[in-house]
Amino acid sequence: METVEMNSVSLKRPHSEDDVANADEIKRQKISQKSKTGNDSEQSIKTVTEQPDKSLLEDMKNEIIPNELSEDQEDEELEDSDEDGDPESFADMMKHGLTESDVGITKFVSSHKGFSGILKERYSDFVVHEIGKDGRVSHLDDFSVPVDDEVNFEDPPEETFTILSEEDKQRLEELQLLKNKETSVAIEVIEDTKEKRTVIHQAVKSLFPGLETKTEDRDGKRYIIAYHAAGKKALANPRKHSWPKSRGSYCHFILYKENKDTMDAINVLSKFLRVKPNIFSYMGTKDKRAITVQEIAVLRITAQRLAHLNKCLMNFKLGNFSYKNHPLKLGELQGNHFTVVLRNITGTDDQIEQAMHSLREIGFINYYGMQRFGTTAVPTYQIGRAILQNNWNEVMDLILKPRPGAEKGYLVKCREEWAKTKDPAAALKKLPVKRCVEGQLLRGLLKYGMKNIISAFGIIPRNNRLMYIHSYQSYVWNNMVSKRIEEYGLRAVPGDLILKGATAVHIKEGDVDNYTIHDIVMPLPGFDVIYPKHKSKSDC
């Protein structure tokens, strides 16, 4: 088993555009560890005994955050109100969640007595930085907007984002989403100058993709008229003619977020940008109850529009913008760097030292962690298994049925209504946040009917749907690893894939044992798992 030395990496916490370069680094203890390699990503872990410096939320608590959207205003308040809360109530909810044994984690690398503590008592106790394929750790440290080489193209001026009133924005959004009974929206030009009209034209076209504008005189007044140029197909599609050929089609950026998982964050960004969530891509989903930093890519949205969100959103910061010709794909990352605070330690000094020594000298079994499987009594792997079995009624039931665990109150009411009536319309009324998985499935059931669950399920964004499959894959991996450790311990045996330097090699079949891991757990067809060199996938 090779020893992998993890470099110490500083944690940079953004405060503002002016002082981000001088942000204090969190002090932490450097540990080297031996890691057992499986199909999971390489991970670097830091443990600290002090509280990280104050959160972005605390930095911004006195700022006035403008409300960009009047629709779903209550949604935003509900989403953003889920902060630390009462640690005891969160812990109580988590008692109804899963244990390690529920997800196949049953073996340990050593037999010493462990110690207990509270993980994630505060969301700021768990800090994650993504590690890219090139080994670089993601940090948010640059808020500048890149300048295009193509001089004929100009991003809209800053006034574009503020010139429209909230009432105008609501009318335009209803028109964009085809909810407006009128065929157009008229915006009166108060200060009738060519410059002012130009800014209004730019604002409508930039903020509401799919709408066109023209200028009209009515009763002696000047109006900007917004209308649909290409119907439903134009909705949320970037304006192709305004995108420079020399610019990459995807804007990559670093997203810093607090206390919100990646998919919820994408939903918030897409709502404020008024685009569809499926134009975003990322390499991995990050924990909700945490502070996380990761790379995101979005199709044909300018860095300027993204940077404007820093003035509109709490618990988010976007920066390190660049234009590239490719999106991001799940699993492309090398791993994640964690900084973890454990509180209320109950072990003795000897027990803690023994555990830390074991971590340094022996390492850990490379299981998929608990965050892969959800925080309620219905694990995500069960939904993934039902999908693979084409049991769509069970998929619908598992996603929507009531369950104990860490959930918001409106989700509990929605589930109760569903259990009582099986009426998607009635359940949806209990759910103010429509962009969550439950809301998307209910909207799909309303659109396609209860007899067409597959189409209804298809409304959920692809990455969310893949999450269930990946969860089941992770569940299979954990069980396979536990049974392999139970059978062979930590010694390498034929069929294993191990690291020697930077090269992955199989342990070849020999006279030691003819018993392979495939006799313990059968891999799923189509899953990217480790196969022994002497066997082909078709044999399994």
Side-chain angles (χ1 to χ4, degrees), residues 43 56 79 135 138 148 157 194 214 235 264 299 337 343 368 397 435 454 476 530:
Q43 298 177 346
L56 180 61
E79 289 176 358
S138 295
D148 282 307
K194 182 177 181 181
K214 61 184 179 180
L235 285 179
D264 284 342
L299 176 63
H337 178 281
R343 300 183 182 274
Y368 283 99
D397 183 57
R435 293 180 180 237
I454 296 178
V476 172
I530 304 303

Coordinates of all heavy atoms in Angstrom, one line a residue, residues 43 56 79 135 138 148 157 194 214 235 264 299 337 343 368 397 435 454 476 530:
Q43 N -8.9 11.9 -2.2 CA -9.3 12.9 -1.3 C -8.3 13.3 -0.3 O -7.5 12.5 0.1 CB -10.6 12.5 -0.5 CG -11.8 12.1 -1.4 CD -13.0 11.6 -0.7 OE1 -12.8 11.3 0.5 NE2 -14.1 11.6 -1.3
L56 N -19.5 34.0 4.9 CA -19.9 35.0 3.9 C -21.2 35.6 4.3 O -21.4 36.8 4.2 CB -19.9 34.4 2.5 CG -20.3 35.4 1.4 CD1 -19.3 36.5 1.2 CD2 -20.4 34.6 0.1
E79 N -35.8 29.3 0.9 CA -34.5 28.6 0.6 C -33.4 29.2 1.4 O -32.6 28.5 1.9 CB -34.2 28.8 -0.9 CG -35.1 27.9 -1.8 CD -34.8 28.2 -3.3 OE1 -34.0 29.0 -3.6 OE2 -35.5 27.5 -4.1
G135 N -4.9 18.6 -10.9 CA -4.3 18.6 -9.6 C -4.5 19.9 -8.9 O -4.1 20.1 -7.7
S138 N -9.4 24.3 -6.4 CA -10.2 25.5 -6.8 C -10.3 26.5 -5.7 O -10.6 26.2 -4.5 CB -11.6 25.0 -7.2 OG -11.6 24.2 -8.3
D148 N -12.9 40.5 -24.1 CA -12.8 39.8 -25.4 C -11.8 40.4 -26.4 O -11.6 41.6 -26.4 CB -14.2 39.8 -26.1 CG -15.1 38.8 -25.5 OD1 -14.7 37.6 -25.4 OD2 -16.2 39.2 -25.1
P157 N -23.9 47.5 -20.8 CA -23.3 48.3 -19.7 C -24.0 47.9 -18.4 O -25.1 47.2 -18.4 CB -23.7 49.7 -20.0 CG -24.9 49.6 -21.0 CD -24.6 48.3 -21.7
K194 N -31.7 58.5 -27.3 CA -31.3 57.3 -28.0 C -30.5 56.4 -27.1 O -30.6 55.1 -27.1 CB -30.4 57.7 -29.2 CG -29.9 56.5 -30.0 CD -29.2 56.9 -31.2 CE -28.7 55.7 -32.1 NZ -27.9 56.1 -33.3
K214 N -38.7 46.4 -30.2 CA -38.8 47.5 -31.2 C -39.3 48.7 -30.5 O -39.9 48.7 -29.4 CB -39.8 47.0 -32.3 CG -41.2 46.8 -31.9 CD -42.0 46.3 -33.0 CE -43.5 46.0 -32.6 NZ -44.3 45.5 -33.7
L235 N -37.1 30.1 -26.1 CA -37.1 30.3 -24.6 C -35.7 29.8 -24.1 O -35.3 28.7 -24.3 CB -38.2 29.5 -23.9 CG -39.6 30.2 -24.0 CD1 -40.6 29.3 -23.3 CD2 -39.6 31.5 -23.4
D264 N -29.3 22.6 -6.0 CA -30.1 23.8 -5.6 C -29.5 25.1 -6.0 O -30.2 26.0 -6.4 CB -30.3 23.7 -4.1 CG -31.3 22.7 -3.6 OD1 -32.1 22.2 -4.5 OD2 -31.3 22.3 -2.4
L299 N -23.5 27.6 -20.7 CA -23.5 27.8 -22.1 C -24.0 29.2 -22.5 O -25.1 29.6 -22.1 CB -24.4 26.8 -22.8 CG -24.6 26.9 -24.3 CD1 -23.3 26.7 -25.0 CD2 -25.7 25.9 -24.8
H337 N -10.7 18.5 -1.6 CA -9.9 18.8 -0.4 C -10.9 19.2 0.7 O -11.6 20.2 0.5 CB -8.9 19.9 -0.7 CG -8.1 20.3 0.5 ND1 -8.6 21.1 1.5 CD2 -6.8 19.9 0.9 CE1 -7.6 21.3 2.4 NE2 -6.6 20.6 2.1
R343 N -16.6 18.7 16.8 CA -17.0 19.4 18.0 C -17.5 18.4 19.1 O -17.9 17.3 18.7 CB -18.0 20.4 17.8 CG -17.6 21.5 16.8 CD -18.7 22.6 16.7 NE -18.2 23.6 15.7 CZ -17.5 24.7 16.0 NH1 -17.1 24.9 17.3 NH2 -17.2 25.5 15.1
Y368 N -17.5 5.3 -0.4 CA -18.3 6.5 -0.7 C -19.0 6.9 0.6 O -19.6 6.1 1.3 CB -19.4 6.2 -1.8 CG -18.8 6.1 -3.2 CD1 -18.5 4.9 -3.8 CD2 -18.5 7.3 -3.9 CE1 -18.0 4.8 -5.1 CE2 -18.0 7.2 -5.2 CZ -17.7 6.0 -5.8 OH -17.2 5.9 -7.0
D397 N -43.1 6.7 -5.9 CA -43.4 6.6 -4.5 C -42.2 6.9 -3.6 O -42.4 7.7 -2.6 CB -43.9 5.2 -4.3 CG -44.3 5.0 -2.8 OD1 -45.2 5.7 -2.4 OD2 -43.8 4.1 -2.1
R435 N -38.7 24.2 -7.9 CA -37.6 23.7 -8.7 C -36.9 22.6 -8.0 O -35.9 22.1 -8.6 CB -36.6 24.9 -9.0 CG -37.1 25.9 -9.9 CD -36.1 27.0 -10.1 NE -36.6 28.0 -11.0 CZ -36.1 28.4 -12.2 NH1 -35.0 27.8 -12.6 NH2 -36.6 29.3 -12.9
I454 N -42.5 7.9 -16.7 CA -41.2 8.0 -17.4 C -41.0 9.4 -17.9 O -40.0 10.1 -17.7 CB -41.0 7.0 -18.4 CG1 -41.0 5.6 -17.8 CG2 -39.7 7.2 -19.2 CD1 -40.8 4.4 -18.9
V476 N -23.4 -0.3 -4.3 CA -22.8 -1.6 -4.7 C -21.3 -1.6 -4.3 O -20.7 -2.6 -3.8 CB -23.0 -1.8 -6.2 CG1 -22.2 -3.0 -6.6 CG2 -24.5 -2.0 -6.4
I530 N -14.1 -2.0 -11.1 CA -12.7 -2.6 -11.3 C -12.9 -4.1 -11.6 O -13.5 -4.8 -10.9 CB -11.9 -2.5 -10.0 CG1 -11.8 -1.0 -9.6 CG2 -10.5 -3.1 -10.3 CD1 -11.2 -0.1 -10.7

